[in-house]
Amino acid sequence: MKTKDWILCIFSAILLILSFPKFNLWILAWFAFVPLFFALRNKSKFKAFLLSYFTGVIFWLGTIYWLVHVTFVGLVSLVLYLALYFGVFGLIITRQPLPVTRHLPFAIHHSLIFIPSVWVLLEYLRSHLFTGFGWGLLGYSQYLNLPVIQIADITGAWGISFLVMMVNVFLYKVMGYRLKVKGKDYLLAILFLVVSLFYGYYRLYLSPFTFHLSPIKISVIQGNIPQSIKWLDYAKEQIFERYLSLTSEALSDNPDVIIWPEAALPGVLNQDGHLKEKLKAFVGECGVPLLAGAVYSDKSAYYNSAILISGNGEIAKRYDKLHLVPFGEYVPVKDIFGFLETVVPIGDFVPGKEYTVFSLATRGATQDARRTAQDARRFSVLICFEDIFPQISRGFVKKGADFLVNITNDAWFGDTSSPYQHLQASVFRAVENGVYLVRAANTGISGFISPYGEVRTLVDEDTGSQTFISGYKTYDIALSRRQNTFYTEWGDWFVLVCLIIAIYGALKVKG
């Protein structure tokens, strides 16, 4: 391997990093892999693995560097693990040249379909293996490219990853082989891109969202509580008073519901009688339902929960987080990894068991028994990084949620690109399920995302800052009794198609 090969790998990694937040140069993702493909040209499988793995290490270091604010050991370990998927990708798509392929370093003639399918399968595997880390999907780089991401309501985010990778392969073939590229390759790439863009423009401009229900006005509160004082006894009153003060300001907008972030309450709700009674009294006095993130205990078990307090000050319903953060909220296989509790700050939570759907009365609806289900607004809550798992959002919407709420606390990672990368996942969950998604984050980003993935409005300052500031934002979201999207109903069918293509391609090579 030559120095040029390593430089090409670094160039690919940098282009990929720049296509994600905070840079958001999404256009770069469409050709970011081209330098890597040139580096892999005519390489053995072992060398292809090393070059691709090196690219993955650089990319992940530049993308999740913010994890160093929590644990350096965890950052290094996770980067080395995630880079394996890049390495395996290079290993699979590279082979010794055959005359019939005109020295193309890819496994089959139809590399425009095979290579993107392999990439999607690896992203899917990464998103599920060892509880899953579905962060930084290639398709997420396009979260600001609204026409392109509309196909997510059919294919999920996987379809956008496929499309971006396919264009990368096409550009490589054009740049590397010019007139030797077959006409059907041009046609295939252009067809996929044109159909996707046409569908996107149709969804955005020709198929307007129809509102059959009256709007609901929501206020999100961003407390901006430093992680260093969040659980200190002396800071409890200070934290609580900040949330009450911001909520009092938001009440001037006459919202239907107010939302606090994950673990906003500075204590275990049902163990701190003073905190609980003060909160219930405040909500009862203002008469507006409040959804708040809280730690809740049940016997000896502790849950990361979302609590809905009704307008009369009573606890109406609770949701316990289903998917906990490994090595963050619990230690998997404690007999082996128990020592990590001394290395990183790890909680000891128990996962919930139920896909909970909350209900809110329509503004002005009567409260008597004659009120029908049509008078209620139903929503579900994604706590922390649950919004990076499409199957959880789908489960809530299939249960009847009219919109989704993400409450989170990203203060752990400092004023970095982390909350912006987290926002990407929320955008795709909104598009995939065709619903509004409301975010309330302790240090940001808090705001409202439309069913088309448009970030409508965010908590911000006059300077434009959206993170590590305190404030609130109120917005009317209009809802519709709509049919579930294709993706909501059928889930990850596109991944199955990619699996069939990949198996067919592998068998073709063996033959």
Side-chain angles (χ1 to χ4, degrees):
M1 290 182 286
K2 300 177 182 178
T3 302
K4 178 187 69 174
D5 296 326
W6 299 107
I7 294 174
L8 287 170
C9 292
I10 293 172
F11 189 35
S12 262
I14 291 174
L15 289 175
L16 277 174
I17 292 168
L18 293 177
S19 67
F20 284 85
K22 293 183 180 179
F23 304 100
N24 289 321
L25 302 175
W26 54 262
I27 191 68
L28 301 182
W30 296 89
F31 54 87
F33 281 86
V34 174
L36 173 62
F37 290 156
F38 274 103
L40 299 182
R41 193 170 181 172
N42 297 327
K43 296 296 188 299
S44 68
K45 289 183 177 295
F46 177 69
K47 290 180 179 179
F49 175 84
L50 287 181
L51 289 168
S52 300
Y53 185 79
F54 176 69
T55 305
V57 168
I58 301 300
F59 167 70
W60 285 113
L61 273 176
T63 302
I64 61 171
Y65 66 92
W66 36 261
L67 193 59
V68 74
H69 289 283
V70 178
T71 166
F72 176 76
V73 174
L75 170 63
V76 173
S77 301
L78 187 57
V79 165
L80 294 178
Y81 162 68
L82 294 174
L84 286 172
Y85 292 92
F86 272 75
V88 172
F89 176 66
L91 182 67
I92 293 175
I93 69 171
T94 306
R95 54 159 302 172
Q96 292 297 322
L98 286 176
V100 72
T101 62
R102 298 188 183 276
H103 301 288
L104 286 176
F106 301 131
I108 61 171
H109 309 305
H110 301 300
S111 54
L112 279 174
I113 297 178
F114 175 75
I115 293 174
S117 295
V118 170
W119 180 263
V120 167
L121 289 174
L122 289 169
E123 283 195 333
Y124 183 81
L125 183 64
R126 170 165 66 83
S127 301
H128 290 80
L129 193 62
F130 307 126
T131 79
F133 189 75
W135 199 273
L137 302 183
L138 182 59
Y140 285 1
S141 65
Q142 305 302 303
Y143 84 109
L144 294 176
N145 189 356
L146 295 184
V148 165
I149 68 173
Q150 298 310 307
I151 62 169
D153 70 355
I154 299 174
T155 65
W158 321 112
I160 293 86
S161 289
F162 183 96
L163 187 64
V164 174
M165 181 57 74
M166 185 187 69
V167 172
N168 271 272
V169 176
F170 174 73
L171 291 176
Y172 165 71
K173 295 177 78 171
V174 170
M175 294 171 65
Y177 301 97
R178 300 180 184 88
L179 298 178
K180 295 177 183 178
V181 178
K182 296 179 181 180
K184 64 181 180 182
D185 288 340
Y186 286 105
L187 181 61
L188 186 65
I190 293 172
L191 179 65
F192 270 72
L193 196 56
V194 168
V195 169
S196 298
L197 287 172
F198 177 80
Y199 180 76
Y201 278 103
Y202 169 79
R203 292 286 297 142
L204 288 170
Y205 306 114
L206 301 178
S207 177
F209 192 73
T210 54
F211 309 113
H212 300 302
L213 301 175
S214 57
I216 179 170
K217 183 178 285 189
I218 301 173
S219 292
V220 293
I221 308 297
Q222 185 168 303
N224 191 30
I225 307 301
Q227 197 61 38
S228 58
I229 69 168
K230 190 167 180 60
W231 299 110
L232 299 179
D233 286 338
Y234 78 84
K236 276 188 177 181
E237 284 298 321
Q238 173 190 342
I239 294 170
F240 195 51
E241 287 302 323
R242 179 178 298 184
Y243 276 106
L244 294 184
S245 175
L246 289 169
T247 302
S248 296
E249 293 181 41
L251 287 172
S252 62
D253 291 335
N254 191 30
D256 294 304
V257 63
I258 296 170
I259 300 175
W260 290 4
E262 175 191 16
L265 293 172
V268 180
L269 182 61
N270 56 323
Q271 290 183 358
D272 191 328
H274 171 70
L275 175 70
K276 181 179 178 180
E277 292 307 315
K278 189 173 181 179
L279 179 64
K280 290 173 63 177
F282 175 82
V283 177
E285 183 178 346
C286 69
V288 177
L290 170 71
L291 179 79
V295 176
Y296 197 92
S297 67
D298 186 0
K299 298 178 182 178
S300 59
Y302 288 86
Y303 298 91
N304 188 351
S305 304
I307 312 288
L308 179 63
I309 302 174
S310 65
N312 60 13
E314 297 301 318
I315 295 178
K317 209 166 191 178
R318 184 180 101 233
Y319 163 66
D320 300 324
K321 187 178 180 183
L322 295 170
H323 195 120
L324 300 177
V325 181
F327 306 111
E329 292 174 316
Y330 76 103
V331 181
V333 197
K334 270 196 174 182
D335 292 342
I336 300 176
F337 298 111
F339 71 93
L340 288 174
E341 290 183 304
T342 63
V343 179
V344 293
I346 296 176
D348 193 16
F349 290 102
V350 174
K353 298 178 180 179
E354 183 180 351
Y355 280 78
T356 304
V357 178
F358 296 92
S359 293
L360 289 169
T362 303
R363 205 182 310 173
T366 61
Q367 300 296 317
D368 60 30
R370 291 176 296 176
R371 192 182 66 202
T372 67
Q374 293 293 321
D375 293 322
R377 297 296 180 274
R378 297 186 292 271
F379 69 95
S380 291
V381 181
L382 305 161
I383 300 178
C384 188
F385 83 152
E386 283 188 317
D387 63 335
I388 74 171
F389 300 100
Q391 67 272 20
I392 297 179
S393 299
R394 284 184 56 236
F396 284 131
V397 174
K398 291 188 78 170
K399 283 277 188 178
D402 296 315
F403 66 96
L404 297 171
V405 174
N406 177 221
I407 59 174
T408 187
N409 174 29
D410 295 332
W412 294 97
F413 312 113
D415 195 6
T416 63
S417 60
S418 172
Y420 295 91
Q421 293 171 10
H422 195 176
L423 176 68
Q424 291 179 305
S426 290
V427 166
F428 274 84
R429 301 299 85 83
V431 177
E432 286 167 352
N433 297 286
V435 297
Y436 270 93
L437 194 146
V438 181
R439 302 187 92 243
N442 173 29
T443 54
I445 297 172
S446 305
F448 302 83
I449 302 169
S450 80
Y452 301 111
E454 180 186 2
V455 180
R456 289 286 172 85
T457 185
L458 300 173
V459 175
D460 57 8
E461 287 183 336
D462 294 337
T463 60
S465 298
Q466 297 157 342
T467 55
F468 287 84
I469 61 169
S470 60
Y472 72 92
K473 184 70 70 172
T474 304
Y475 189 76
D476 275 292
I477 66 171
L479 306 176
S480 172
R481 294 290 181 207
R482 78 260 172 297
Q483 290 184 337
N484 288 339
T485 65
F486 190 90
Y487 181 76
T488 301
E489 283 295 326
W490 297 98
D492 297 325
W493 66 273
F494 187 78
V495 178
L496 180 60
V497 172
C498 289
L499 177 61
I500 294 170
I501 292 172
I503 292 173
Y504 173 78
L507 294 174
K508 186 102 168 171
V509 169
K510 282 190 175 182

